[in-house]
Amino acid sequence: MKKKLLIPILLVSLIGFSQEKMITKTGTITFDASFPSFDEVKGINRYVTFVLNPETGEIASLAIMKGFEFKIALMEEHFNENYMETDQYPKTIFRGQIEKFDQKTLTTTPKDFTIKGKLEIHGITKDVIVPGQISKTGGRITILSNFSVNTSDYSIPIPALIKYKLASKVNIQLAAVLNTN
């Protein structure tokens, strides 16, 4: 329990103590590694922490890997034990910057941004550049993004027996509605 509380606290501290932050602990990450002619390989995690400094555009997120849920329980077990090795690599972290971010220009209509940062998956950190669509309604900022990562970039083992049933390029969607902290 202490570990679960410590990680979000540390993540929040990454952005700085003196500035106003926006946060959610109910962001969503969905990944899809399916091939059309085989069983759907799709997981969703609805308890992802996102933190945004609206003054600087700094952004961070943290997902506990065992939080991903699947339609088929056996798939979830294989995901945790064989592919993501979640006992050894329990979380994925993103730290980055939304380029040219200015919250004053946000409206209810999503605006396209580029988000650059470091994505850590399976114990490996890589520089990434991903698209983002950001909008603002009242005091809330919504961030949406769709991008892909290669399993080989993060040394995620795919057994030869199923490599034709599991895509090596994984599509990732994220959604977060952030509120003032």
Side-chain angles (χ1 to χ4, degrees):
M1 183 66 172
K2 288 181 184 179
K3 189 176 182 180
K4 285 185 179 181
L5 290 173
L6 180 62
I7 292 171
I9 290 169
L10 289 174
L11 186 63
V12 170
S13 70
L14 291 173
I15 294 186
F17 291 103
S18 63
Q19 300 167 336
E20 179 182 337
K21 296 172 286 296
M22 301 185 83
I23 188 167
T24 185
K25 294 179 184 175
T26 57
T28 301
I29 294 177
T30 304
F31 78 85
D32 190 345
S34 304
F35 274 127
S37 58
F38 293 101
D39 287 333
E40 180 181 63
V41 181
K42 188 175 187 176
I44 186 165
N45 187 332
R46 294 179 179 90
Y47 304 102
V48 181
T49 300
F50 285 88
V51 181
L52 169 68
N53 181 326
E55 297 301 317
T56 66
E58 289 176 280
I59 188 166
S61 69
L62 175 118
I64 303 300
M65 296 308 291
K66 286 188 178 179
F68 282 94
E69 299 173 345
F70 297 76
K71 288 182 183 177
I72 301 169
L74 185 59
M75 219 177 264
E76 189 170 320
E77 182 180 326
H78 287 269
F79 171 82
N80 285 310
E81 294 176 8
N82 302 336
Y83 309 121
M84 298 309 294
E85 303 169 295
T86 57
D87 286 338
Q88 187 175 355
Y89 308 107
K91 61 188 179 286
T92 184
I93 299 171
F94 175 81
R95 292 179 192 97
Q97 181 76 35
I98 304 168
E99 290 192 335
K100 300 177 185 174
F101 182 78
D102 182 357
Q103 71 171 329
K104 295 176 192 124
T105 65
L106 297 177
T107 65
T108 56
T109 303
K111 183 177 177 182
D112 291 331
F113 286 91
T114 299
I115 304 169
K116 290 184 177 181
K118 296 192 178 294
L119 178 61
E120 179 185 332
I121 301 174
H122 203 242
I124 296 175
T125 303
K126 295 277 186 179
D127 290 329
V128 295
I129 300 171
V130 299
Q133 296 77 40
I134 304 174
S135 60
K136 185 175 182 181
T137 305
R140 297 179 173 181
I141 291 180
T142 301
I143 301 173
L144 305 172
S145 183
N146 294 300
F147 60 98
S148 297
V149 297
N150 293 315
T151 57
S152 61
D153 289 346
Y154 295 94
S155 296
I156 299 168
I158 307 297
L161 182 63
I162 64 159
K163 75 178 193 177
Y164 298 107
K165 295 181 180 181
L166 187 66
S168 60
K169 186 172 213 133
V170 178
N171 297 316
I172 299 173
Q173 297 177 337
L174 64 87
V177 179
L178 299 117
N179 299 300
T180 302
N181 188 18

